[in-house]
Amino acid sequence: MNIGILGLGLIGGSLGFDLRSQGHHVLGVSRRESTCQKAIALGSVDEASVNISLLAAAEVVFICTPLALIVPQVEQLIDHLPTNTVVTDVGSVKAPIVKAISPLWNHFIGGHPMAGTADSGIEAAQRDLFVGKPYVLTPEATTPTSAITVVEEIVRSLGANIYHCQPEQHDRAVSWISHLPVMISAALISACINETDADVLQLAQKLASSGFRDTSRVGGGNPELGVMMARYNRQALLNSLQQYRHNLDELINLIEQENWSTLEHKLQATQQARSNFVPDLYRNPV
Ligand code: NAP
């Protein structure tokens, strides 16, 4: 199959590796000529160009640009495509994208692979990035079954686990488990660097170990991606942050009141609840 990828970065480049290894012919389009050349040299795509018309020959196109460019790029792309070309995107927020693109292109299905790293760009692309990871698809009632099937087959072949849901449900769910953690983790790092005693701050930096590495990881990631999450999933993220602030206030009150038994109950409840979010960690503890 001829498969197009628009935006050859971490996600687009990684998709290219896996699709090529399955024998698909991968056509890549990116903004910079140097990225196109790198993608060919690394083996992520068969052909690459800065000219979007290269994708006219693709049967399926994955849109893998930064979030803000997905809709404008699709608007440009569809002038070059036959009407039955299937278009899907990988954006981390779904409702505004699906709402804007669905009326423009009947064979469109929103998607979001729940896989990534803190790095970006074609150099960060890696093989098997999606293996064992959730991959959300948000088909509409009007999405042709043939378009859903073809995207599902490709996603399954990446080794990912498919979930279907409404775009709005997706955005609320990822707000809890992806976008809220980025903001909390950023706030944690920010709070630590507010330590006013330079000696204490330096000591804390020297003592930081696995706990801080885990809790600061997503707050120390790509700032552009964090801003995009906040801009495009603003309401869901604000709701999650307000609920989080409420929980933080509860903890502050319990500690101020030295209410150790209630604090312990609360921590017992969170210890139990965690396994529902990350069951693999409990089956294979590391
Ligand atoms: P990325 O590594 O920065 O890659 C995006 C690529 O898009 C850049 O390398 C850039 O290539 C290219 N690009 C920028 N403007 C373009 C344009 N006008 N036309 C064509 N290509 C353009 O970002 P990413 O992490 O792969 O994220 C891409 C998408 O995946 C986003 O929508 C994000 O929401 C979604 N996503 C990200 C993650 C994650 O963890 N990173 C996970 C799941 C989904 P040049 O080098 O040519 O400028």
Side-chain angles (χ1 to χ4, degrees), residues 209-279:
S209 188
S210 54
F212 193 79
R213 192 167 51 229
D214 291 347
T215 50
S216 65
R217 184 175 66 81
V218 292
N222 183 349
E224 206 181 327
L225 204 56
V227 174
M228 288 299 148
M229 290 168 174
R231 261 183 79 180
Y232 288 89
N233 204 16
R234 182 172 166 274
Q235 197 49 57
L237 179 58
L238 281 173
N239 291 347
S240 303
L241 278 165
Q242 273 147 11
Q243 182 58 46
Y244 181 75
R245 183 160 61 189
H246 172 70
N247 279 258
L248 209 51
D249 283 341
E250 259 182 22
L251 289 172
I252 291 171
N253 284 341
L254 291 175
I255 295 168
E256 276 177 352
Q257 292 158 12
E258 301 189 22
N259 188 344
W260 310 129
S261 63
T262 308
L263 179 63
E264 188 175 350
H265 281 128
K266 205 168 167 59
L267 295 180
Q268 277 165 352
T270 57
Q271 184 186 41
Q272 276 187 10
R274 184 173 183 241
S275 65
N276 295 325
F277 290 88
V278 283

Side-chain angles (χ1 to χ4, degrees), residues 6-212:
L6 177 53
L8 298 172
L10 166 67
I11 300 293
S14 301
L15 261 176
F17 281 132
D18 294 352
L19 296 176
R20 279 195 79 225
S21 74
Q22 289 163 33
H24 295 295
H25 186 76
V26 178
L27 307 160
V29 168
S30 214
R31 177 179 50 177
R32 289 179 290 176
E33 181 58 37
S34 57
T35 301
C36 294
Q37 293 311 318
K38 259 183 235 160
I40 294 175
L42 290 168
S44 164
V45 296
D46 293 282
E47 298 175 53
S49 171
V50 293
N51 191 335
I52 209 165
S53 65
L54 179 73
L55 301 175
E59 293 150 78
V60 179
V61 180
F62 283 81
I63 312 295
C64 304
T65 62
L67 215 43
L69 293 172
I70 292 177
V71 175
Q73 288 296 311
V74 169
E75 283 168 347
Q76 276 191 41
L77 172 70
I78 56 180
D79 287 341
H80 301 272
L81 299 182
T83 50
N84 57 352
T85 305
V86 175
V87 176
T88 183
D89 77 303
V90 299
S92 313
V93 177
K94 294 274 58 82
I97 288 176
V98 173
K99 196 170 163 213
I101 300 179
S102 289
L104 304 177
W105 199 251
N106 189 33
H107 285 64
F108 172 75
I109 172 165
H112 180 202
M114 303 296 301
T117 70
D119 300 321
S120 58
I122 187 66
E123 294 86 356
Q126 50 182 261
R127 289 175 171 78
D128 296 329
L129 182 67
F130 310 99
V131 174
K133 302 284 166 41
Y135 197 121
V136 181
L137 295 175
T138 62
E140 300 273 89
T142 51
T143 314
T145 314
S146 57
I148 302 172
T149 306
V150 78
V151 175
E152 279 183 346
E153 277 170 10
I154 295 172
V155 167
R156 210 169 284 123
S157 77
L158 301 171
N161 305 319
I162 299 173
Y163 293 87
H164 281 206
C165 65
Q166 300 291 320
E168 294 76 14
Q169 287 178 313
H170 163 276
D171 292 354
R172 285 177 61 188
V174 295
S175 172
W176 287 119
I177 53 82
S178 177
H179 303 174
L180 176 64
V182 167
M183 298 304 151
I184 294 171
S185 176
L188 167 70
I189 300 169
S190 199
C192 290
I193 58 179
N194 280 338
E195 168 57 54
T196 48
D197 184 325
D199 290 339
V200 172
L201 177 59
Q202 209 177 24
L203 183 63
Q205 287 166 341
K206 294 228 175 337
L207 298 181
S209 188
S210 54
F212 193 79

